[in-house]
Amino acid sequence: MATSIRRRRHDPERRQRIIDAAIDIARERGIDALSHRAVAAAADVPLGSTTYHFAGLDDLLVAALDQANNAWLDGLEEWERALPPDADLAAELAALIERTVAGDRQQVTLEYELYVAALRHERLRPLAAGCVDRVAELLARRTPDPATARALAALTDGLMLQLLLTGRRADRTELRELFARCCPEL
């Protein structure tokens, strides 16, 4: 028992467990289900720990969005680096969307839910904007100019949201055609 109490008093992982618990709750039940009490219970920490590390829910949302964005962007960077130099970007983006939406749909929904939450939570906006910029920067490595990269990033976001909202399966051929029509220089 003394070891358990000592471990809890000095718990360098506590802040991370709180963030992970918040992400799990938001993934399973949505952002509206977040509360200090729910997160404390899920993280198995005293309620005071959540307010010690995160004064308000916006602080917790910022940490959650930052972590979710970074994980997603790291994966996108790996995807881009693995593409051959002469890759058909329209086809690769279509395949990426197909894999993403067919994968962990709850995770993708969470990422977009956090992204859209920036519309109502001003403190999230710089993180969401940073994510948009980083996606465009990654795509700019493969496009003739930054404007094309931004157009592809916007189209990718729009298509992913439509697939999530409608529950439709991604059709790789149709998606490739949409990318090629919007950016014929690919």
Side-chain angles (χ1 to χ4, degrees):
M1 180 75 167
T3 306
S4 175
I5 291 171
R6 199 174 313 125
R7 184 184 66 78
R8 287 192 179 266
R9 282 190 186 147
H10 178 70
D11 185 0
E13 312 271 319
R14 185 175 292 186
R15 184 177 192 281
Q16 186 60 51
R17 279 200 331 270
I18 292 169
I19 295 169
D20 292 342
I23 289 172
D24 288 345
I25 290 169
R27 180 187 303 116
E28 293 166 13
R29 297 182 285 182
I31 288 177
D32 291 342
L34 284 180
S35 70
H36 283 290
R37 188 172 305 285
V39 171
D44 191 28
V45 300
L47 179 59
S49 290
T50 62
T51 56
Y52 173 79
H53 290 286
F54 304 99
L57 285 178
D58 275 0
D59 297 315
L60 188 52
L61 277 172
V62 165
L65 178 60
D66 190 41
Q67 182 168 309
N69 274 354
N70 286 329
W72 186 77
L73 289 166
D74 289 348
L76 189 63
E77 179 128 14
E78 286 177 30
W79 167 82
E80 187 277 328
R81 284 186 179 164
L83 294 178
D86 60 344
D88 176 347
L89 188 57
E92 295 293 346
L93 284 167
L96 176 68
I97 289 174
E98 181 183 54
R99 270 192 319 274
T100 301
V101 174
D104 186 351
R105 203 172 183 94
Q106 268 190 328
Q107 182 63 34
V108 179
T109 300
L110 167 68
E111 290 161 3
Y112 275 100
E113 190 173 359
L114 287 167
Y115 183 62
V116 172
L119 294 172
R120 297 209 182 268
H121 299 271
E122 192 171 324
R123 292 196 48 222
L124 296 176
R125 287 184 194 151
L127 290 172
C131 182
V132 169
D133 291 343
R134 190 158 163 218
V135 170
E137 288 168 12
L138 285 170
L139 292 175
R141 297 175 188 172
R142 301 286 178 157
T143 60
D145 58 72
T148 300
R150 284 215 176 271
L152 289 173
L155 180 56
T156 299
D157 273 341
L159 291 169
M160 294 268 278
L161 279 170
Q162 286 180 5
L163 291 167
L164 290 170
L165 289 170
T166 62
R168 286 189 219 135
R169 284 180 7 110
D171 178 331
R172 189 182 300 197
T173 304
E174 178 186 5
L175 293 172
R176 193 221 171 276
E177 178 66 24
L178 290 170
F179 282 116
R181 280 187 183 200
C182 289
C183 300
E185 62 274 16
L186 296 180

